[in-house]
Amino acid sequence: MNIENQQRNPVLLIHGIDDTEAVFHKMAGHLGLQGWSVYSLNLVPNNGDVGLHELAKQVADYVTATFAPEQRLDLVGFSMGGIVSRYYVQRLGGINRVQRFITISSPHNGTVVAYGSRRPGCVQMRPDSIFLKDLNSDAVILGQLNFTSIWTPYDLMIVPANSSQMSVGTEVIVPVPLHPWMLTDPRSLAVVKAALTEPINLPLGTRIK
């Protein structure tokens, strides 16, 4: 019996702006072949027309509908999906469900690219936005679970690229030349796999209030 597989949580993948769950095709297949149960959903709308807090409610509803109440899970958010996932974890009770949380090229401190649109979700991803300031005001709580931020210094969507840095958790820099390649590059996939196999910080059943 494979003890490692026994201890693996289901993994939920959250996509970025203008994406669908299809962007995770390679990652989902890679993880599935190695024993993980992988889930994803399509955020609607995916273009920033609604605030990220609204999209986070879709994540919360999906988790409630898909997993048993006692089931812990691991969460991977790409780009905007990482910020949506943070809102779910920090504001909608996800802290009590998620054990490993990975963001990939997410604008934790905003991206100047977001100034190109006035859509509510894009405004929230601007540097120094009220939304991001609020999330970052208590980001320390992410240290209560296994949190990993993966980013590339060559990102042209997250500007400046080091906006993906966080003062909590583990930081991994993968020098991938393009933003979307962060989901397909073998180095990124290896980092995600390693983060998903890390021993959890908290024993099963622990609730954080």
Side-chain angles (χ1 to χ4, degrees):
M1 185 175 291
N2 190 322
I3 296 175
E4 185 181 2
N5 281 345
Q6 276 187 305
Q7 297 173 338
R8 288 180 177 176
N9 291 332
V11 179
L12 177 58
L13 309 175
I14 308 297
H15 65 76
I17 195 166
D18 292 327
D19 288 333
T20 68
E21 61 182 342
V23 296
F24 289 115
H25 177 75
K26 184 171 183 178
M27 181 179 291
H30 178 75
L31 294 175
L33 286 174
Q34 298 182 61
W36 273 278
S37 296
V38 183
Y39 299 79
S40 57
L41 72 155
N42 287 319
L43 301 174
V44 180
N46 66 353
N47 62 354
D49 269 348
V50 301
L52 306 191
H53 56 290
E54 295 293 335
L55 299 180
K57 291 177 184 175
Q58 296 179 28
V59 175
D61 290 344
Y62 180 87
V63 170
T64 299
T66 306
F67 305 105
E70 68 279 4
Q71 176 65 60
R72 294 300 190 98
L73 62 142
D74 297 338
L75 189 59
V76 179
F78 171 60
S79 197
M80 178 191 76
I83 308 303
V84 170
S85 298
R86 277 187 63 192
Y87 194 90
Y88 163 64
V89 169
Q90 293 178 236
R91 299 287 179 266
L92 300 180
I95 193 80
N96 295 316
R97 300 293 302 267
V98 175
Q99 291 187 318
R100 300 176 185 88
F101 178 26
I102 303 166
T103 61
I104 303 172
S105 292
S106 292
H108 295 299
N109 299 290
T111 172
V112 299
V113 174
Y115 284 110
S117 172
R118 294 183 179 180
R119 292 170 175 169
C122 296
V123 171
Q124 289 177 331
M125 289 189 286
R126 293 176 180 177
D128 296 319
S129 72
I130 294 172
F131 182 84
L132 288 178
K133 283 183 175 179
D134 175 66
L135 273 187
N136 289 333
S137 68
D138 61 355
V140 65
I141 69 172
L142 295 175
Q144 296 175 351
L145 40 78
N146 284 43
F147 174 64
T148 304
S149 172
I150 307 170
W151 63 284
T152 172
Y154 306 117
D155 209 316
L156 297 179
M157 286 295 293
I158 310 303
V159 182
N162 64 2
S163 173
S164 295
Q165 288 183 297
M166 290 284 283
S167 60
V168 62
T170 300
E171 173 187 356
V172 183
I173 298 174
V174 183
V176 174
L178 293 175
H179 186 72
W181 291 4
M182 289 293 285
L183 296 181
T184 58
D185 189 280
R187 294 167 293 180
S188 295
L189 297 179
V191 173
V192 170
K193 177 187 173 184
L196 291 174
T197 53
E198 281 291 314
I200 58 173
N201 288 337
L202 298 170
L204 279 172
T206 299
R207 288 185 64 84
I208 305 164
K209 296 182 179 179

